[in-house]
Amino acid sequence: MRLLRNFCEQEGESVHYQKGEQMEREGLPSEWFGFVAEGCFKYVTRGVGDGREHITWFSFAGEFVGDYPSCIDGRPSLTTIEAMLPSRVLRVSGEQLMALFRRDMETMELRSIIGEHLLRQARARYLDFHRATPRERYELLMRRCPGIVEHLSLNTIASFLNISPKTISMIRRDITFGL
């Protein structure tokens, strides 16, 4: 993954996003992939029946951001990717990524490594929804992203964990008071 980060640093453009500004919009062709130099992003989709916002993923400083599969194929983005605070991304296009992958066997292998990495992340998140309690999911998130509560509302964290804001408040109270 270091090769991909180096590529974004060397070939990408540095783009600043203000809080609420979108990098990608659900349903429109996905164009961008990048390395988050500063800030963080949320991945949002709307409920089919109720139109409510559902947070499906986060990308923080030091991580990659984008709808990778859609970006390299030029398909519509499956989520809206939005800055949660002022952020800076070293951004490349899907065409640039494909040109990288076509250079040689090492970079073509990188494409499969990225796909496998994303599949592992998605599978772990899916399994956590089935095997971890809401409190355990909250604690996993806090270990992955220390300090996240300083940047996100309880409603946003609750949406990501697929629990109610009331439940997350009870979890935080129990943790605070050692219950």
Side-chain angles (χ1 to χ4, degrees), residues 54-139:
H54 299 275
I55 311 297
T56 61
W57 199 252
F58 297 113
S59 289
F60 298 97
E63 298 179 346
F64 295 101
V65 62
D67 184 344
Y68 173 78
S70 298
C71 179
I72 62 172
D73 292 340
R75 287 179 283 139
S77 182
L78 298 177
T79 60
T80 295
I81 302 173
E82 181 180 306
M84 295 185 297
L85 51 115
S87 301
R88 185 172 65 90
V89 175
L90 303 169
R91 186 177 86 173
V92 296
S93 69
E95 291 88 9
Q96 286 175 287
L97 279 174
M98 287 307 295
L100 169 69
F101 297 146
R102 290 185 188 113
R103 280 201 302 215
D104 55 40
M105 284 304 292
E106 180 185 359
T107 56
M108 182 55 80
E109 185 177 310
L110 176 61
R111 183 176 179 181
S112 65
I113 291 168
I114 294 166
E116 291 166 4
H117 175 77
L118 292 172
L119 180 60
R120 275 193 299 279
Q121 283 183 325
R123 186 163 187 247
R125 178 155 162 71
Y126 177 79
L127 291 172
D128 285 345
F129 277 123
H130 291 281
R131 65 181 173 199
T133 66
R135 180 176 175 154
E136 290 167 339
R137 293 196 310 266
Y138 178 83
E139 290 171 341

Side-chain angles (χ1 to χ4, degrees), residues 58 60 84 141-142 145-153 157 160:
F58 297 113
F60 298 97
M84 295 185 297
L141 179 63
M142 294 303 109
C145 312
I148 192 173
V149 295
E150 298 167 17
H151 301 291
L152 305 178
S153 70
I157 295 171
F160 178 71

Side-chain angles (χ1 to χ4, degrees), residues 15-19 21 36-41 59 82-89:
V15 179
H16 293 269
Y17 293 91
Q18 294 305 311
K19 180 179 179 178
E21 195 173 353
V36 182
E38 301 166 17
C40 55
F41 290 81
S59 289
E82 181 180 306
M84 295 185 297
L85 51 115
S87 301
R88 185 172 65 90
V89 175

Side-chain angles (χ1 to χ4, degrees), residues 16 29 34 52 116 124 134 170 174:
H16 293 269
R52 284 188 22 239
E116 291 166 4
M170 291 176 7
D174 291 351

